[in-house]
Amino acid sequence: MGEQFTFRNPDGSEFQVRGWGNQFSAVFETTDGYTVVPDPDSGFYHFAALDTDSGDLVPSGETVAADARALALPPHLRAARSAVTARARTVREELGGEPRWQVRRRARLAQRGAADGPAGAPPPAATVGDYTGLVLLVEFPDVPATITRNDVDNFCNQVGFTGFGNNGSAYDYFLAVSDGKLRYRNRVAAYHRAEHPRAHYTDRAIPYGTRAQELIKEALDHLKASGFDFSVLSSDSGGFVHALSLFYAGDRVNNWSEGLWPHSWALATPYAASATRTFSDYQITDLGTRLTLRTFCHENGHMVCDFPDLYDYDSVLVGNGVGHYCLMCFGGSDTNPVQVDAYLKNAAGWTSRLTTLTPGTTTSIAAGSNDFLVHRRSATEYFIMENRRQAGRDTAVPDAGLAIWHVDETGDNSNEQMTPALHYELSLEQADNRFDLEHRANAGDSEDLHGGPAAPAFGSATAPNSNWWDGSASGLEIEEISAPGATMTVRTKATGPQWYGDLAVDMVFASHHSGNAWAALAGLGWRQVRAGNPDGVTNMLAVLTEARANGKKVSITADATSVYDAYLL
């Protein structure tokens, strides 16, 4: 449905819109579905029209005060993807800089791509142990603070925090989703009174991000002058502080991509706070009237853990990435965001148990803990699986069951085409085979995850299938996935002869010449009695028939299609 915002025209008039996107690319509609864009000359919002030459949205000449239906304007108007991508690139260039977390992640991916063969361990720079970020608080001469520093400190750090309806603090969230491996706290500075009234920083005539970064520098100058010990803050190998968050008093008063509109990026000019600590990455947002976890944890997921966004970053209303199945996409609830997915957890070094699936085995997998199954092709392409249950941190996840993730670390969640060359970095193998996430039909539904009668298997012959992105068979053949629950079991198909003991024979069949014989074995199903063995078809058939007739058990050697020998117990 999109998030609802209040936009303002230069004359102070207000109107409600729904918006989709991010700080670089977004689209907004009135509540009755008509797309709006600002007029660059007057600053007033107009209903949008489509420029047929550029494919971009332009002002129609009719302000939002008009009646869109009477004007016969088309609802839900959208720009061409090429135009949206170009506009997003321009906004990034105007903000300047590049976040350090993106630099670190790119270097790590290059290291992974150079790995020789499958890699069973997470990347070397795991995010475990104690990390400390910095939170700056700012009020304005004309907009005083209404949420106390103590409230913000508790929101960041207090164990069992319940303020504003949240399920724990940010510390609690990261401790839980990392299975206790990441202890992330924040130093919350005392309020800084800004040097100018709020209107100075929210001036829409000043290029986006300029006054936000001015406010950050001003608050850091104040903190530095107070003698703050910046060495307590966690930094990367270059001395860059991982995480800086600024909350400013009051509500957001800017429209999208203006003034102090909430965003995260890198300072155009890094700020040297001391000989060992420099600031670059930041997030900034309004305090409003309440503090909520989802966005704060999402942005710190970038800065602290180097997590990427798992939605289409350069366009909007195209693909939905991984929807509400991960904090780094839509994230579920504001006050109880869902877990980070198995792929990013494993990359962060948060895995508690990682089991490589092998043919002919049955493996259990627990929900609510970092217990994962993996089937690898290489260091960068693999399937990783987890048990998701709609409880605790995952109360808002759209479905319960086995989440089967197809990872290609060289992919990009801005590519929803599902082709060998253009596909997501992280794709959910949606059990209903509709690929609603890629087609933006929804952000997840009750038919996405595997398990039980509705989606009991995953392999080369299922839909979706277990092929690699180039279309070749992965060899992953899961023939049984139990019903969703606190613990699930996954059974893989045996690909070569395996020894099975103490099996009941449910049924036996043979043609008149006994050269074509079959047996239905408990737990395995039908297998053909294979010719060319020392015991011969006739002798094995006699053993299986006697077992069936007298309720006895057998031990056999069999693969996915055949029985090679049988012994009566």
Side-chain angles (χ1 to χ4, degrees), residues 229-311:
D229 179 10
F230 291 97
S231 69
V232 300
L233 305 178
S234 300
S235 64
D236 64 17
S237 60
F240 285 88
V241 173
H242 280 284
L244 170 64
S245 302
L246 186 146
F247 286 113
Y248 61 86
D251 296 319
R252 71 187 69 167
V253 295
N254 284 113
N255 303 326
W256 177 77
S257 197
E258 297 174 350
L260 294 182
W261 180 268
H263 66 277
S264 65
W265 198 238
L267 297 173
T269 302
Y271 182 97
S274 71
T276 62
R277 294 293 186 271
T278 300
F279 288 92
S280 175
D281 296 2
Y282 70 89
Q283 66 158 327
I284 182 170
T285 192
D286 58 290
L287 274 168
T289 57
R290 61 196 294 256
L291 295 160
T292 56
L293 284 173
R294 181 173 60 166
T295 299
F296 185 83
C297 291
H298 176 103
E299 300 301 347
N300 278 275
H302 288 315
M303 295 186 292
V304 177
C305 308
D306 302 345
F307 290 158
D309 285 309
L310 292 174
Y311 55 80

Side-chain angles (χ1 to χ4, degrees), residues 443-532:
D445 61 34
S446 61
E447 300 175 299
D448 287 335
L449 303 189
H450 284 74
F458 181 70
S460 58
T462 60
N465 62 50
S466 64
N467 291 345
W468 299 122
W469 275 116
D470 64 7
S472 63
S474 71
L476 177 60
E477 299 290 343
I478 301 175
E479 61 181 2
E480 184 178 333
I481 305 170
S482 70
T487 299
M488 297 180 67
T489 57
V490 174
R491 189 178 77 204
T492 54
K493 184 180 293 185
T495 57
Q498 305 286 321
W499 175 259
Y500 299 92
D502 198 34
L503 292 181
V505 180
D506 295 331
M507 196 174 296
V508 177
F509 166 83
S511 62
H512 68 280
H513 52 70
S514 77
N516 181 29
W518 294 75
L521 299 152
L524 295 182
W526 284 100
R527 298 291 190 273
Q528 186 175 18
V529 180
R530 182 60 61 190

Side-chain angles (χ1 to χ4, degrees), residues 138-146 191 193 197-199 248-251 253:
V138 172
E139 60 181 356
F140 304 99
D142 54 340
V143 184
T146 56
Y191 269 96
R193 177 69 62 90
R198 181 172 65 180
Y248 61 86
D251 296 319
V253 295

Side-chain angles (χ1 to χ4, degrees), residues 50-51 54-57 78-87 315:
L50 188 64
D51 186 310
S54 68
D56 209 352
L57 298 174
R78 298 293 182 263
R81 178 164 189 156
S82 58
V84 176
T85 302
R87 190 176 342 118
S315 193

Side-chain angles (χ1 to χ4, degrees), residues 197-537:
R198 181 172 65 180
H200 171 83
Y201 305 96
T202 60
D203 187 347
R204 64 173 58 187
I206 304 300
Y208 179 46
T210 302
R211 289 286 164 83
Q213 295 191 17
E214 176 185 329
L215 188 60
I216 291 169
K217 181 180 182 299
E218 184 184 308
L220 286 173
D221 284 343
H222 175 78
L223 192 62
K224 188 175 181 179
S226 73
F228 182 82
D229 179 10
F230 291 97
S231 69
V232 300
L233 305 178
S234 300
S235 64
D236 64 17
S237 60
F240 285 88
V241 173
H242 280 284
L244 170 64
S245 302
L246 186 146
F247 286 113
Y248 61 86
D251 296 319
R252 71 187 69 167
V253 295
N254 284 113
N255 303 326
W256 177 77
S257 197
E258 297 174 350
L260 294 182
W261 180 268
H263 66 277
S264 65
W265 198 238
L267 297 173
T269 302
Y271 182 97
S274 71
T276 62
R277 294 293 186 271
T278 300
F279 288 92
S280 175
D281 296 2
Y282 70 89
Q283 66 158 327
I284 182 170
T285 192
D286 58 290
L287 274 168
T289 57
R290 61 196 294 256
L291 295 160
T292 56
L293 284 173
R294 181 173 60 166
T295 299
F296 185 83
C297 291
H298 176 103
E299 300 301 347
N300 278 275
H302 288 315
M303 295 186 292
V304 177
C305 308
D306 302 345
F307 290 158
D309 285 309
L310 292 174
Y311 55 80
D312 192 326
Y313 202 60
D314 289 333
S315 193
V316 290
L317 301 180
V318 179
N320 277 345
V322 300
H324 284 299
Y325 288 101
C326 179
L327 171 75
M328 300 314 295
C329 193
F330 298 156
S333 164
D334 279 341
T335 53
N336 186 23
V338 300
Q339 299 256 3
V340 175
D341 61 79
Y343 160 52
L344 295 182
K345 285 183 176 182
N346 190 54
W350 297 348
T351 300
S352 295
R353 187 178 75 147
L354 183 67
T355 303
T356 298
L357 288 177
T358 56
T361 58
T362 299
T363 308
S364 65
I365 179 169
S369 64
N370 295 346
D371 182 6
F372 308 135
L373 309 177
V374 69
H375 177 80
R376 291 185 179 274
R377 181 187 202 182
S378 68
T380 55
E381 186 176 6
Y382 47 92
F383 290 99
I384 190 166
M385 288 147 268
E386 61 181 328
N387 180 358
R388 303 293 290 267
R389 193 179 185 207
Q390 292 168 313
R393 291 285 166 194
D394 263 352
T395 299
V397 81
D399 195 12
L402 188 72
I404 302 176
W405 299 103
H406 190 169
V407 177
D408 180 359
E409 295 183 15
T410 66
D412 190 321
N413 272 58
S414 291
N415 298 330
E416 74 293 326
Q417 291 89 336
M418 295 183 289
T419 65
L422 295 171
H423 52 259
Y424 284 165
E425 174 181 349
L426 182 68
S427 306
L428 181 65
E429 296 289 347
Q430 294 143 73
D432 55 21
N433 201 40
R434 292 196 301 260
F435 292 97
D436 290 337
L437 293 170
E438 285 82 354
H439 297 144
R440 204 182 62 82
N442 57 49
D445 61 34
S446 61
E447 300 175 299
D448 287 335
L449 303 189
H450 284 74
F458 181 70
S460 58
T462 60
N465 62 50
S466 64
N467 291 345
W468 299 122
W469 275 116
D470 64 7
S472 63
S474 71
L476 177 60
E477 299 290 343
I478 301 175
E479 61 181 2
E480 184 178 333
I481 305 170
S482 70
T487 299
M488 297 180 67
T489 57
V490 174
R491 189 178 77 204
T492 54
K493 184 180 293 185
T495 57
Q498 305 286 321
W499 175 259
Y500 299 92
D502 198 34
L503 292 181
V505 180
D506 295 331
M507 196 174 296
V508 177
F509 166 83
S511 62
H512 68 280
H513 52 70
S514 77
N516 181 29
W518 294 75
L521 299 152
L524 295 182
W526 284 100
R527 298 291 190 273
Q528 186 175 18
V529 180
R530 182 60 61 190
N533 292 284
D535 289 337
V537 173

Side-chain angles (χ1 to χ4, degrees), residues 39-158:
D39 174 42
D41 296 324
S42 67
F44 281 79
Y45 267 80
H46 287 211
F47 292 115
L50 188 64
D51 186 310
T52 55
D53 292 330
S54 68
D56 209 352
L57 298 174
V58 295
S60 66
E62 300 289 348
T63 69
V64 292
D67 184 346
R69 289 187 177 85
L71 296 169
L73 294 172
H76 311 301
L77 199 59
R78 298 293 182 263
R81 178 164 189 156
S82 58
V84 176
T85 302
R87 190 176 342 118
R89 187 183 305 115
T90 298
V91 174
R92 282 199 299 271
E93 291 171 352
E94 288 175 350
L95 278 175
E98 180 185 19
R100 287 287 300 178
W101 71 262
Q102 291 186 0
V103 174
R104 292 191 297 266
R105 189 169 183 278
R106 189 167 57 248
R108 195 170 307 141
L109 179 59
Q111 181 180 358
R112 294 277 279 164
D116 183 20
T127 311
V128 298
D130 294 293
Y131 279 67
T132 303
L134 176 64
V135 173
L136 300 173
L137 301 177
V138 172
E139 60 181 356
F140 304 99
D142 54 340
V143 184
T146 56
I147 293 179
T148 69
R149 177 193 173 279
N150 188 60
D151 283 338
V152 179
D153 191 275
N154 289 340
F155 166 77
C156 291
N157 302 309
Q158 186 183 68

